[in-house]
Amino acid sequence: FFLAVAAGRAQVQQEPSAETTEGTAISINCSHPGIKTSETIYWYRQLPDRGPAFLGSAHKGTKELPDPPGQLRVAADRRSSALWLTRPRRGDAAVYYCALG
């Protein structure tokens, strides 16, 4: 199935799209080279015909996410992050956003 990806704001860059098959893990990457020390990284997704829903946030390291199952991983230099979906299903097809705040 298809996972669309979009940027949350100008300081954030994401791949235009990402694709996987059901049950095959996928990493959705986000680049934020100008991140400030005080800023936190937020991830959201927007399912078809719904508003954006908060998935999780992190300042550093790795954070487990329960739904959808996966991890939010922040690079050591904090210049990039990734949403890792371990067992994506068709129902996880959505627009995924990262943002700083």
Side-chain angles (χ1 to χ4, degrees):
F1 63 95
F2 181 76
L3 297 174
V5 185
R9 71 181 213 186
Q11 291 91 335
V12 166
Q13 293 91 41
Q14 292 181 254
E15 301 149 340
S17 64
E19 192 172 350
T20 188
T21 56
E22 190 167 24
T24 301
I26 185 172
S27 178
I28 302 173
N29 302 308
C30 180
S31 175
H32 29 80
I35 190 169
K36 299 173 184 175
T37 305
S38 60
E39 288 185 306
T40 297
I41 304 155
Y42 298 87
W43 280 84
Y44 301 83
R45 76 172 175 183
Q46 187 168 9
L47 295 167
D49 301 319
R50 298 193 185 179
F54 176 69
L55 295 178
S57 64
H59 192 267
K60 64 180 180 179
T62 300
K63 184 174 183 178
E64 298 292 328
L65 299 178
D67 185 28
Q71 294 179 334
L72 174 51
R73 300 173 176 177
V74 180
D77 63 5
R78 296 195 354 107
R79 292 167 56 89
S80 64
S81 62
L83 178 65
W84 180 261
L85 303 182
T86 54
R87 297 183 306 278
R89 300 186 299 180
R90 287 188 177 272
D92 294 319
V95 179
Y96 288 79
Y97 300 90
C98 70
L100 304 179

